[in-house]
Amino acid sequence: MGRALAVIIWILTLGSVSLFFVKKWWFPTAISSHAPALDRQFLITIIIVGIAFTAAQVGLGWMVWKYRDRGPSDRALYTHGSNRLEVIWTIVTAVIFIGLAVMGQSVWASLHFNQAPPGSFQIEVVAQQFQWNFHYAGRDGVFGRTDPNLIDDSALNFIGLDEADPNAKDDTTHSVIAIPEGRPVELILRSRDVIHNFWVPQLRFKQDLVPGMAIRVHFTANRPGKYELACAELCGQLHFKMRSNMLVLPEAEHAELMSLPQDQFQTRIGELLNKYPLPPNY
Ligand SMILES: [Cu+2]
């Protein structure tokens, strides 16, 4: 029985590790400038923990095999273990994991802690149960004033835009995010109610939207197309409805879209959604 259990452990280990080599379920093709560094870091981590996992499972099977029940005459042994071994593997594990965290933080920090490069395209994002609202500054590039007291869902003013503000005249809002290709984009993330999460797998980018905070993040997308945007935080009963699209558009097409007044903007977004298909693995 002991030997059979050891073999099962080894087979399960081999099966789960081989899934990483087959790569049938893997990340979608990346479309952001920071993605290669992030993917490389992920690969290093998965290789190191894969080796540790395999070694631990092979060792477990070997112990099960070696110390199996050999009948009534077989006496049990008692051992205190080895303090020296405990210290060694604790230190080795700590060094590896702290090392991986230090290696990985530079990519993450460059997006979350550093300011967006000058000339970034800005979008204010206001999440609510259960929809995305993207606020575009329009032709003047200046956001109109917003005030939570002006929020009126029945009038479709989901973000509380102050219509009296001259800067708000050319502003548009939409549930689809449209960004330019090859130009840094800065998002200012807000939430009206609970914590939501902005996630586009192809961007390799994920960030919470927290009520009461304006979280600034930035990235550069480098491949035009339509990608699925999901809320990756279980934010309530209709959380599944927080599914939208992100359009990455060539600069000229994007600039043309941004120059349109609200009604034409809505129509044009619809056309662009039809023009660009979702990536094939969706
Ligand atoms: Cu949500």
Side-chain angles (χ1 to χ4, degrees):
M1 189 61 196
R3 275 186 280 209
L5 184 57
V7 172
I8 290 170
I9 290 171
W10 290 331
I11 289 173
L12 285 177
T13 307
L14 190 70
S16 42
V17 171
S18 65
L19 290 177
F20 288 92
F21 288 96
V22 173
K23 279 197 171 182
K24 181 164 165 41
W25 298 281
W26 203 249
F27 298 148
T29 309
I31 59 154
S32 60
S33 56
H34 68 272
L38 207 131
D39 285 1
R40 201 176 321 118
Q41 182 62 31
F42 182 86
L43 198 65
I44 292 170
T45 306
I46 208 81
I47 288 171
I48 291 173
V49 299
I51 291 169
F53 171 76
T54 307
Q57 297 307 302
V58 168
L60 176 66
W62 178 69
M63 286 293 184
V64 168
W65 182 291
K66 189 174 177 205
Y67 296 106
R68 67 188 182 276
D69 180 16
R70 292 167 196 259
S73 60
D74 197 20
R75 295 193 60 183
L77 287 172
Y78 178 75
T79 169
H80 273 295
S82 163
N83 284 344
R84 209 175 64 146
L85 271 180
E86 293 274 359
V87 169
I88 290 172
W89 67 53
T90 304
I91 290 174
V92 169
T93 309
V95 168
I96 289 174
F97 279 93
I98 293 170
L100 286 173
V102 171
M103 279 170 72
Q105 65 87 32
S106 65
V107 184
W108 193 87
S110 68
L111 302 174
H112 291 79
F113 290 157
N114 295 352
Q115 284 207 335
S120 296
F121 180 74
Q122 286 186 318
I123 302 177
E124 291 202 326
V125 186
V126 181
Q128 68 180 92
Q129 286 172 319
F130 298 94
Q131 71 181 45
W132 293 103
N133 304 297
F134 296 101
H135 177 193
Y136 300 93
R139 232 170 313 182
D140 63 359
V142 182
F143 289 107
R145 198 178 80 85
T146 53
D147 180 347
N149 294 317
L150 297 174
I151 288 174
D152 183 357
D153 288 357
S154 59
L156 304 183
N157 190 356
F158 301 108
I159 61 168
L161 188 66
D162 181 0
E163 306 282 358
D165 179 12
N167 289 330
K169 290 282 175 263
D170 61 350
D171 287 19
T172 47
T173 56
H174 204 284
S175 62
V176 170
I177 177 170
I179 62 171
E181 173 204 4
R183 178 176 165 194
V185 172
E186 181 177 35
L187 302 183
I188 303 149
L189 303 166
R190 292 192 173 88
S191 170
R192 273 177 45 178
D193 33 46
V194 298
I195 298 174
H196 300 275
N197 186 292
F198 180 96
W199 183 40
V200 179
Q202 286 85 354
L203 279 179
R204 306 289 192 269
F205 187 85
K206 202 174 190 185
Q207 173 63 49
D208 273 355
L209 297 89
V210 183
M213 291 178 78
I215 299 174
R216 287 171 178 265
V217 289
H218 59 94
F219 52 78
T220 306
N222 50 23
R223 190 178 301 193
K226 178 170 75 175
Y227 306 95
E228 188 186 40
L229 160 70
C231 173
E233 193 73 62
L234 186 57
C235 57
Q237 249 183 344
L238 301 179
H239 155 71
F240 67 89
K241 281 180 70 178
M242 291 194 73
R243 182 169 174 264
S244 185
N245 288 295
M246 180 181 80
L247 286 167
V248 181
L249 304 172
E251 274 237 63
E253 197 170 39
H254 184 263
E256 186 221 319
L257 173 70
M258 290 304 135
S259 68
L260 297 173
Q262 177 81 20
D263 52 335
Q264 291 174 38
F265 186 93
Q266 307 282 340
T267 317
R268 184 73 185 129
I269 286 260
E271 289 167 8
L272 291 166
L273 287 173
N274 286 332
K275 175 178 171 183
Y276 292 99
L278 280 171
N281 51 350
Y282 266 83

